[in-house]
Amino acid sequence: MIKRTLYFGNPGYLRKNSQQLLIEYPDKDKDSSTVPIEDIGIMILDHPQVTITQALLSSLVENNVAIINCNYQHLPEGLMLPMYGHHAFTEKVREQVNASEPLKKNLWQQTVIAKINNQSAVLKTLGLKNNNMQYWSEKVRSGDPDNYEARAAAYYWDVLFEGIPDFRRHRYGDPPNNLLNYGYAVLRAVIARSLVASGLMTFMGIHHRNKYNPYCLADDIMEPYRPYVDLVVIDILKQEDEIEELTTDIKRKLLIIPAMDITMNGQKSPLMLGAGRTSASLMRCFEKSERKIIYPKLL
């Protein structure tokens, strides 16, 4: 079953009632509501006057809910996940820790190829030139020592947003970077949640290494999924005239990301379920029972 994504952008009091999330409002004319905790996958807290109880937090974490809190600019700032989400956690961690460098380089090669192929598919879908992307994806070697990922990304952004003068993909760049950042934050939470559920530690990446980043592995594995976010952002740009501010309507459109359809091994499924398959296949690669990560393929 696809888990629900809940967004809280108004004052509210969130607490646990039996196995339900009970939502109450300061406005007494507004009726309270409930959501089964087991149905929740992601919760986004985007208002300074949202209050949440410890009992509810504990139950959300126990049910592997990814909790995102936003800053005063309404951008995702923090992510809360369970410390572990698998009954054989210690055994799984040992396999991840003991993974050889050749294995990790091979996994990164697969990841880069899948990412470039999906970026190429985005350009093709939009009727843009993608010949370079196809060539580069075939040249990626183990560990991507030639950095085809960066070459492809530079070309991809130039072509994708060629209609936006001086666009540069940057976390603190001008719009539509704000839309991309928000969408990627939601995607990162989905991937991190799935990794934890598979018994993996999110801070031990196969390529990304940063002592200040507790989600290096999530940042690795989300790479082939990013083009799905890009398509959502492109669709929003076609519909919205004003994107300087992340309005509630724009956020609502970005929050479809966990539920959007993706294709894996010729079968369609919601992105959140696909992320679970990807994470499980990565764990099996660490366990040496499989050699390939299952990634979605944009058609």
Side-chain angles (χ1 to χ4, degrees):
M1 181 186 74
I2 181 67
K3 298 287 186 175
R4 295 178 61 178
T5 299
L6 302 183
Y7 172 82
F8 296 94
N10 294 302
Y13 182 68
L14 313 180
R15 64 184 179 90
K16 180 182 177 182
N17 182 22
S18 297
Q19 293 303 312
Q20 304 277 320
L21 160 62
L22 176 60
I23 308 164
E24 298 174 314
Y25 304 95
D27 185 353
K28 300 302 179 183
D29 294 331
K30 201 169 184 180
D31 293 336
S32 61
S33 57
T34 60
V35 179
I37 293 174
E38 65 180 1
D39 290 351
I40 306 171
I42 299 174
M43 180 183 288
I44 301 174
L45 309 178
D46 189 16
H47 197 283
Q49 293 179 2
V50 172
T51 302
I52 185 167
T53 66
Q54 169 60 20
L56 176 59
L57 275 176
S58 180
S59 289
L60 291 171
V61 170
E62 184 179 349
N63 282 270
N64 196 25
V65 177
I67 305 168
I68 301 173
N69 73 287
C70 300
N71 60 21
Y72 70 96
Q73 295 176 311
H74 305 287
L75 295 174
E77 185 174 49
L79 174 61
M80 184 178 184
L81 290 167
M83 292 186 66
Y84 58 90
H86 195 282
H87 67 279
F89 176 69
T90 304
E91 179 183 340
K92 300 291 184 181
V93 166
R94 187 178 298 112
E95 298 288 355
Q96 184 181 1
V97 170
N98 292 333
S100 67
E101 281 302 312
L103 173 60
K104 287 189 282 188
K105 287 183 177 181
N106 178 265
L107 295 175
W108 181 240
Q109 176 188 24
Q110 294 180 40
T111 302
V112 171
I113 292 172
K115 177 185 181 181
I116 295 176
N117 284 338
N118 282 347
Q119 288 176 323
S120 177
V122 169
L123 298 182
K124 182 178 179 181
T125 298
L126 298 173
L128 302 172
K129 294 180 180 178
N130 68 339
N131 293 343
N132 285 12
M133 307 291 286
Q134 295 172 329
Y135 173 80
W136 287 327
S137 72
E138 296 171 358
K139 293 293 183 179
V140 178
R141 295 185 291 153
S142 180
D144 190 24
D146 306 299
N147 206 12
Y148 280 110
E149 184 210 6
R151 296 192 208 184
Y155 176 84
Y156 174 73
W157 293 119
D158 283 346
V159 175
L160 187 63
F161 291 123
E162 61 183 354
I164 301 178
D166 301 321
F167 174 82
R168 290 292 180 270
R169 171 64 194 134
H170 193 278
R171 180 178 178 184
Y172 303 107
D174 295 331
N177 278 291
N178 54 344
L179 277 67
L180 293 166
N181 293 342
Y182 197 95
Y184 291 153
V186 173
L187 174 62
R188 193 190 204 200
V190 172
I191 299 298
R193 175 184 177 274
S194 298
L195 292 170
V196 170
S198 294
L200 293 159
M201 294 186 295
T202 61
F203 58 85
M204 289 190 63
I206 56 176
H207 175 74
H208 284 88
R209 292 175 177 84
N210 186 331
K211 65 181 181 180
Y212 304 110
N213 181 7
Y215 301 108
C216 288
L217 186 60
D219 290 342
D220 288 330
I221 302 305
M222 69 184 279
E223 294 290 0
Y225 285 86
R226 287 178 183 266
Y228 290 92
V229 176
D230 304 339
L231 282 176
V232 174
V233 170
I234 290 293
D235 191 52
I236 292 173
L237 293 178
K238 292 177 180 178
Q239 301 174 34
E240 302 286 339
D241 296 325
E242 179 56 57
I243 59 168
E244 291 288 334
E245 180 184 350
L246 282 171
T247 63
T248 301
D249 185 54
I250 289 176
K251 290 177 184 176
R252 185 181 298 112
K253 292 174 181 176
L254 289 167
L255 291 177
I256 70 164
I257 290 166
M260 66 187 301
D261 281 340
I262 62 173
T263 301
M264 304 181 80
N265 290 342
Q267 296 182 332
K268 285 188 176 181
S269 70
L271 187 146
M272 184 177 286
L273 296 184
R277 292 185 64 192
T278 296
S279 298
S281 69
L282 173 62
M283 187 68 251
R284 292 192 293 271
C285 289
F286 284 140
E287 294 171 331
K288 301 181 181 62
S289 60
E290 289 187 12
R291 297 174 64 94
K292 289 200 67 175
I293 308 178
I294 301 173
Y295 278 127
K297 184 175 182 180
L298 252 168
L299 303 176

